[in-house]
Amino acid sequence: MPKENEFLDDIEAAEAEAFAEEESEISDEAVEVDTLRAERDDYRDKFMRALADAENSRKRADKQRREAEQYGGTKLARDMLPVFDNLKRAMDAVTDEQREQMGAMIEGIELTLRELLNVFKKHGIELISPEIGDKFDPNMHEAMFEAPVPNTVAGEIIQVSTDGFMLYDRLLRPAQVGVSSNPG
């Protein structure tokens, strides 16, 4: 019987050894699987960040493109404002006598002024034309002077020197005005 037990001991030892090897292999495979999962998660995170960066870049480029379309003509628009100013001054200086003598030419200047305003409007340029008595708005008007004028309230517009313009929602040029400085 001692031999029989010895044989069983050998089987048990061989089984234990095989089990240990198997467990070691499983343990190595589990570590490798965990490592691969961690790598996969890291790559997934990097991929998601890259997608988000690409989407943000696309949105930023789209916004810049829209702004360039909308506000790209700002310099040209500013350069055209003196043309409007000169035509308006010419019309303001016309007397009734001149209108009778040079009616066609005066009408041509008026038509040119209207067409210029239509082109401005087509391109998002709006006239800021304050009236005497309006409240001074520092976001739309530039105070050229202050003066105490009877029957006015401080902050009221008392004179309009030059009209202003907006380009969509941006101030292209403020209206230049005189403002009352009456204490009340």
Side-chain angles (χ1 to χ4, degrees):
M1 261 254 183
K3 272 191 169 190
E4 206 175 289
N5 279 345
E6 219 174 275
F7 176 74
L8 285 177
D9 285 343
D10 286 344
I11 290 178
E12 284 179 14
E15 282 180 352
E17 193 176 299
F19 181 73
E21 280 180 29
E22 228 176 81
E23 194 173 273
S24 171
E25 284 177 20
I26 291 173
S27 176
D28 289 346
E29 286 175 4
V31 167
E32 189 176 339
V33 167
D34 287 346
T35 302
L36 290 173
R37 280 190 184 132
E39 251 182 74
R40 178 203 63 197
D41 292 346
D42 186 45
Y43 285 130
R44 180 182 292 146
D45 183 56
K46 286 178 182 176
F47 175 72
M48 295 306 284
R49 287 176 191 271
L51 277 179
D53 283 347
E55 181 64 15
N56 288 340
S57 293
R58 186 194 64 74
K59 286 179 183 177
R60 191 171 33 257
D62 191 45
K63 180 182 176 197
Q64 288 171 344
R65 181 191 53 77
R66 280 193 317 272
E67 284 183 356
E69 284 175 2
Q70 206 167 34
Y71 302 112
T74 300
K75 188 172 185 214
L76 176 63
R78 278 199 182 99
D79 289 346
M80 292 299 297
L81 298 184
V83 174
F84 169 83
D85 294 337
N86 291 332
L87 288 171
K88 188 161 191 271
R89 277 198 239 10
M91 292 310 306
D92 291 345
V94 172
T95 64
D96 289 337
E97 183 181 308
Q98 290 170 328
R99 192 172 286 280
E100 285 177 26
Q101 292 174 353
M102 299 180 283
M105 187 173 86
I106 304 292
E107 188 178 328
I109 295 171
E110 286 175 335
L111 289 172
T112 303
L113 185 59
R114 275 197 301 266
E115 183 60 25
L116 182 60
L117 284 172
N118 287 336
V119 169
F120 280 176
K121 189 174 201 111
K122 179 181 172 185
H123 292 280
I125 302 168
E126 292 290 327
L127 182 66
I128 301 170
S129 188
E131 299 288 327
I132 293 175
D134 288 352
K135 179 127 180 79
F136 175 76
D137 179 357
N139 296 316
M140 305 290 269
H141 308 132
E142 179 182 3
M144 301 308 291
F145 65 90
E146 283 188 328
V149 174
N151 302 321
T152 61
V153 179
E156 266 184 24
I157 295 173
I158 55 174
Q159 181 181 343
V160 178
S161 303
T162 308
D163 289 325
F165 290 90
M166 295 286 292
L167 177 59
Y168 296 103
D169 58 344
R170 292 183 183 172
L171 186 64
L172 194 57
R173 180 180 79 187
Q176 296 175 339
V177 298
V179 181
S180 174
S181 63
N182 269 359

